[in-house]
Amino acid sequence: MKTVKLTALFFILLFFMNATITQAASAVKIAYTVTFPEAQAHYADVEMNISGIAQNTLDLKMPVWTPGSYLVREFAKNVESFSASANGKEIKSPKINKNTWQINTAGISAVTVKYRVYCFEVSVRTSFVDASHGFLSTTGIFIYPDKMLNAPSTIKIVPYKGWTTVSTSLDSVNGDTFTRYSPNFDILFDSPIEVGTQDVFGFDVSGVKYEVCMVGGGNYDKEMLKIDMAKIVVQETKVFGENPNKRYVFIVHNYQRGGGGLEHLSSTTLGASRDNYTNPTGYRNFLGLVAHEHFHLWNVKRLRPIVLGPFDYDNENYTTDLWIAEGFTAYYQNLILRHAQITNPETYLSAITGEINTIENQPGAKVQPLAEASFDAWIKSYRPNENSANTGISYYDKGAMVGMLLDLEIINDSKGKYALDDVMKYMYDTYYKQKKRGYTDEEFKQAFEKFAGKNLDEFYKNYVYGLTQLDYNKYLAYAGYKATDEAAGTNDPSLGIMTVENNGKKYVIGVQRGGAGWVDGINVNDELTAIDGTPITDMASILIGKKVGDKVSITVIRDGLPLTLPVTLLRNNRLKYRIDSLPEVTPLQMVVRKKWMGLVD
């Protein structure tokens, strides 16, 4: 009885504490002004005005990571010249840990904080400023009051000379494009801001306004992009049954050579190669990126693992479900292009083949389970080294293929009535719309079982938590296809290494687990100089005339010293799959194929 009373008292106190914090946050007013007096030197200057303070101490924090990119990046490292003042006088604002500044606000109701942020990292998840434009990845730009993530704020942008346009999903204030409003910090941190002279165009889909802002030029065709991007939006909306946005923004950074994307609640940032839009493969890859990041609008930004929101911006947010959040999105990026009739069946199967080859030629697939790859994203996925391929697997690649197997299982078991689409919509409706929370591992598993009509314990044991090789042919056969390894009958010798040439010298950059180099001690960073005493001039031809089992002498320079290694050549064990239709396809297999591939009669 005493325990019950204490527990009840604890929750009552917790309720009032949270209510007090929420009340304090709602009373506080926050306004930012961002200027670029030294844009050419890659600086953004931020002034933060906070009023309505009713506490003796105010801790201001900067996030250490950005949602969607699972790595602690320590954004506070780019902050300098931090100062605070009240009533025209500077007040002390010591830094009390790596990302927190503490201000004594006893007797003070309003504070002005100023700081500078160095912005010179080109990626979709980090800020970059120069004289041509400014990209503000908001988690690395704006500090926030501790325990006040629910506080609203306004952001005023004072553009650098010649800058005319702001692109962001944040709403403008009184029609002023340079002043934006955020209802809370979760939305602010999920709304990157592009300011400069970007090329902006748009299209509407079912009442939702889409804005595309192109930075850095490029040989893109606006009208073609409008048509194809709209097709993608229509097809993805069809999966979930609704589009929760009124407006959505694509921020596209076009570089000489670029790629990658990062999803946000009502926008995305993409990296692309500016002169690749007229190349059919390059254009298709860009549309695949569009499909991937836009699919995140539902999968992960709303339908999410339970730990991914509310976010802890100070620490890692661990989940074993990135194979669903990212892997399924990677699966859908190709499937959506197929269902939208942007790509043909052969191109789609080629993309699937590429995924299979990637997984099966990665030794780490036999070392790291899929769920573990998700959990360890924070320490492995974004910090690859020369041995990563030997020790791990991508939850994107393998997650996509596990998604394909589940899709085919559901379509086959339901005789074409259901597909993975139905699972995604059910989960979106149940957890995002109705329960208004994220899902657990078991809840998503139960949804798969609901539509497959069977227990999936063994599937999970083998493919999610275990290291069993994916049985592609069992599932592809449901749709009348078969995967064949074209290299199965070969017996070519191999050193099992990857090399790069630099100034005429050949360096080892990778050693494959179990290969000849691995077994006999060739190391990454070795400079290859000779084989059997003959200088190496061409890596492609050094094994001509050699066969599996031959013993060769490989001379290398390691740490400036020559070294000769006896190496026994082993078989090149790289796989090369292709997917073909079975010679005879049953009516049920054809039903599954049509449902899976989006084929129309």
Side-chain angles (χ1 to χ4, degrees), residues 61 87 93 194 214 231 257 288 308 342 381 410 428 430 468 533 547 550 564 570 587 590 595:
K61 306 177 75 68
N87 302 317
S93 54
E194 174 67 33
M214 289 289 194
K231 288 179 180 178
R257 188 174 301 165
L308 294 185
I342 292 175
S381 295
I410 292 167
Y428 174 80
T430 301
T468 303
K547 61 182 182 298
D550 283 354
T564 299
L570 301 179
M590 187 53 69
K595 180 81 169 181

Side-chain angles (χ1 to χ4, degrees), residues 328 331 356 398-413 420 456 459 463 468-476 478 596:
F328 279 23
Y331 170 58
I356 293 173
K398 191 171 181 180
M401 289 300 92
V402 168
M404 180 187 78
L405 302 193
L406 286 166
D407 198 6
L408 288 167
E409 182 74 68
I410 292 167
I411 297 171
N412 181 73
D413 292 348
L420 186 58
L456 293 173
F459 185 96
Y463 300 147
T468 303
Q469 184 180 23
L470 300 181
D471 190 350
Y472 305 103
N473 279 328
K474 171 185 174 181
Y475 296 90
L476 287 171
Y478 292 154
W596 178 44

Side-chain angles (χ1 to χ4, degrees), residues 66 119 128 148 208 221 249 548:
T66 189
C119 309
F128 181 90
M148 294 187 190
V208 181
D221 183 325
V249 180
V548 174

Side-chain angles (χ1 to χ4, degrees), residues 9-23:
L9 179 60
F10 170 77
F11 280 109
I12 290 170
L13 289 173
L14 185 64
F15 171 81
F16 281 109
M17 285 174 62
N18 288 335
T20 301
I21 292 169
T22 301
Q23 188 176 21

